[in-house]
Amino acid sequence: MPQFQRPSPEDVAMQKLLTAVTELSKEVKDLREEFRQYVHSCKCGQTDSVGLASLEPLELPLQTMEALDRAEETLQNGPNRQKMTARPAIIGGTTLEVRVRRMMANLLTNELASGLNWAGKKQGKEQAKQKRPFKDLAHIYVW
């Protein structure tokens, strides 16, 4: 008759860890599904199928300096600013840097962003290379 061998403490710890990871994975999957249902029920972030695009005062991402100027003008209206504040607020990310990058990508195209910098300093001696100062925008960075 073979003797029963007790598992080592390392084996017991590993089994507990695997059990915990399995349970956490299931919880994450359940939470993702709950979130999907929530987003679907409130239509958060869905602009085409539910007509939210018509409710939003701006078409994002902004693509040109002219669109940026129009956005500045549109966001002077308090209710418009409040509507537009909700959009970047639902964008997530694992770190602050990731969240900011995702928000900026949803607000501005790369082409438009390349024409801006914080202070509007020249990149060279040519006036043509002057970038528009992001800090002077009255309402865009309030998002």
Side-chain angles (χ1 to χ4, degrees), residues 3-63:
Q3 285 191 346
F4 178 72
Q5 208 175 15
R6 288 195 154 222
S8 69
E10 293 85 15
D11 290 341
V12 171
M14 184 60 73
Q15 185 61 40
K16 286 182 180 181
L17 184 61
L18 287 172
T19 301
V21 167
T22 302
E23 290 172 3
L24 284 172
S25 294
K26 180 165 178 10
E27 280 188 52
V28 167
K29 183 179 176 185
D30 293 346
L31 286 170
R32 281 184 181 154
E33 182 56 33
E34 283 180 41
F35 182 72
R36 277 189 207 104
Q37 290 174 2
Y38 169 75
V39 167
H40 182 71
S41 70
C42 73
K43 309 298 184 200
C44 297
Q46 297 179 10
T47 55
D48 344 84
S49 61
V50 294
L52 283 181
S54 62
L55 298 177
E56 290 182 350
L58 297 174
E59 185 178 327
L60 297 177
L62 301 174
Q63 299 182 17

Side-chain angles (χ1 to χ4, degrees), residues 55-103:
L55 298 177
E56 290 182 350
L58 297 174
E59 185 178 327
L60 297 177
L62 301 174
Q63 299 182 17
T64 64
M65 287 295 178
E66 293 77 24
L68 184 64
D69 292 335
R70 285 191 305 274
E72 276 278 283
E73 191 175 307
T74 300
L75 293 172
Q76 288 178 11
N77 176 315
N80 285 343
R81 193 170 45 253
Q82 286 177 328
K83 287 178 188 175
M84 294 309 297
T85 301
R87 185 170 178 161
I90 63 171
I91 298 170
T94 54
T95 65
L96 178 60
E97 180 182 354
V98 171
R99 276 184 238 128
V100 170
R101 285 184 185 278
R102 286 181 179 176
M103 281 187 219

